[in-house]
Amino acid sequence: MPAAVTGLAITVIKGTRLRPVPEVTLEAGGARGDRRFYVIDERGRMVNGKQLGELTAVVADYAADEHTLTLSFPDGSIVRDRIEAGDELTTRFYSRPRRGRLVGGPWASALSDHVGQPLRLVESLGSVDRGARGAASLISRASLHRLSQGAGEPGVDVRRFRMLIEIDGVAAHAEDDWVGRRVTVGPARIAFHGHVGRCLVTSRDPDSGEIDLPTLDVLRDYRGELETTEPLPFGIYGEVIQPGRIRIGDPVVLVP
C-alpha cells in the first residue's frame, strides 16, 4: 500500500507526556506549538525525561488564543493560568546556548514539587531540539514492529521515541535511506538530514516515566554497528522546506 501518515504527536512542554493529535501545522521551526516551553534546573540547563522521568506523567496543554497553560498531574491536581511574558535569558540546551523567556506564574513551583527539585519554566525563542535542520522527525510502524520483535514484546509504544510523524506502508527502517533526500508529507515537504540517535528516555514508560524496557540494549544488538549520523539510530530528522498542515491519512512520497 502507498505510504501514509498514521500518527502525529506533540507536547507543549519538552519532556512532558506526548499527546496524539489528528493534525499539525508544520512550520520552519517545527510543528506549531510543539515544545513551545521547556524546563531548566538551577544552573540554567535544560532537563527532560532523560534526567527526570517524572515529567512524563505530566500532561500539558496550551490554548494559544487565550495564552493559557494547563498542567495536569497524576494525583489529579490541575494548575491553570495565563502566560505572562517574562525576562529573556540564555540557557544551556544540550551543549548549546538557547535564548528563552522565563515564565512566571504557578507552573515552575508545581513542577518542582512534582519532581522533587527546583525547576524553572522557559518559553523557547528558537526551533525545537536540533534547530531548524531537525524541526521534524519521522518513524515507520514497520521499524517499531522490528524493534518489538528484538525486544520480545508484542508491541512497543511509539510515544517512547517522541517522534512527530509516524507512517506506514514502507519496510522496516526504510526511512534510514531517506537521509539526504526530500519527502512530501501531505502538502508539506521535508529534507531529511540525519538519523535520530537514542538515549535513556526511550527506556521509560510513556505514561509513568518509569524505566521498564531495555530499548538501548535492543538497538545495540541489531543496529549498533550501522554507519549512521548518530549512534543507536531509530527514526530520522529533517528540515521543513515547504510548510503545510498535515493530517493523519496524508500520503508520504519520496521525491525522485
Side-chain angles (χ1 to χ4, degrees), residues 217-240:
D217 291 340
V218 176
L219 287 173
R220 191 173 293 110
D221 283 345
Y222 87 100
R223 289 177 64 77
E225 301 301 321
L226 296 178
E227 293 186 7
T228 51
T229 62
E230 295 180 6
L232 301 184
F234 197 70
I236 56 177
Y237 68 82
E239 177 182 3
V240 179

Side-chain angles (χ1 to χ4, degrees), residues 139-153 156 161 171-176 196 198 202 213-228 230-235:
I139 190 70
S140 71
R141 280 191 170 179
S143 298
L144 287 162
H145 179 65
R146 174 63 185 87
L147 185 137
S148 68
Q149 289 178 319
E153 298 286 339
V156 175
F161 303 96
H173 302 299
E175 62 270 26
D176 284 353
V196 181
R198 292 306 174 174
T202 62
L213 187 69
T215 315
L216 301 184
D217 291 340
V218 176
L219 287 173
R220 191 173 293 110
D221 283 345
Y222 87 100
R223 289 177 64 77
E225 301 301 321
L226 296 178
E227 293 186 7
T228 51
E230 295 180 6
L232 301 184
F234 197 70

Side-chain angles (χ1 to χ4, degrees), residues 20 34 78 100 116 124 169 195 211 219:
D34 189 26
I78 296 176
S124 178
H195 307 92
I211 295 176
L219 287 173

Side-chain angles (χ1 to χ4, degrees), residues 178-251:
W178 294 359
V179 172
R181 303 287 300 277
R182 297 185 177 196
V183 176
T184 60
V185 182
R189 182 170 291 196
I190 304 169
F192 286 104
H193 296 309
H195 307 92
V196 181
R198 292 306 174 174
C199 67
L200 180 65
V201 71
T202 62
S203 299
R204 297 188 182 277
D205 180 275
D207 289 319
S208 69
E210 296 180 359
I211 295 176
D212 65 350
L213 187 69
T215 315
L216 301 184
D217 291 340
V218 176
L219 287 173
R220 191 173 293 110
D221 283 345
Y222 87 100
R223 289 177 64 77
E225 301 301 321
L226 296 178
E227 293 186 7
T228 51
T229 62
E230 295 180 6
L232 301 184
F234 197 70
I236 56 177
Y237 68 82
E239 177 182 3
V240 179
I241 57 175
Q242 179 175 305
R245 179 172 293 182
I246 60 177
R247 300 174 174 87
I248 292 177
D250 276 351

Side-chain angles (χ1 to χ4, degrees), residues 97-138:
R98 170 71 63 86
R99 295 294 294 170
R101 183 177 290 114
L102 197 62
V103 177
W107 306 281
S109 177
L111 288 168
S112 299
D113 290 343
H114 175 65
V115 304
Q117 73 176 62
L119 297 176
R120 290 179 290 171
L121 184 64
V122 176
E123 184 173 10
S124 178
L125 296 179
S127 302
V128 300
D129 293 352
R130 292 174 173 82
R133 283 179 58 83
S137 57
L138 178 147

Side-chain angles (χ1 to χ4, degrees), residues 37-146:
F37 305 93
Y38 60 97
V39 292
I40 59 175
D41 61 15
E42 290 183 298
R43 298 173 59 184
R45 299 174 304 180
M46 183 274 292
V47 292
N48 57 16
K50 178 180 178 180
Q51 302 91 354
L52 299 173
E54 298 91 341
L55 287 174
T56 309
V58 180
V59 178
D61 184 50
Y62 182 66
D65 54 342
E66 301 174 354
H67 303 289
T68 300
L69 177 64
T70 302
L71 300 184
S72 300
F73 292 88
D75 64 0
S77 61
I78 296 176
V79 178
R80 179 185 295 114
D81 207 341
R82 280 180 57 86
I83 292 286
E84 299 293 341
D87 296 332
E88 290 191 17
L89 74 167
T90 299
T91 66
R92 296 300 299 175
F93 200 93
Y94 297 115
S95 60
R96 304 180 300 274
R98 170 71 63 86
R99 295 294 294 170
R101 183 177 290 114
L102 197 62
V103 177
W107 306 281
S109 177
L111 288 168
S112 299
D113 290 343
H114 175 65
V115 304
Q117 73 176 62
L119 297 176
R120 290 179 290 171
L121 184 64
V122 176
E123 184 173 10
S124 178
L125 296 179
S127 302
V128 300
D129 293 352
R130 292 174 173 82
R133 283 179 58 83
S137 57
L138 178 147
I139 190 70
S140 71
R141 280 191 170 179
S143 298
L144 287 162
H145 179 65
R146 174 63 185 87

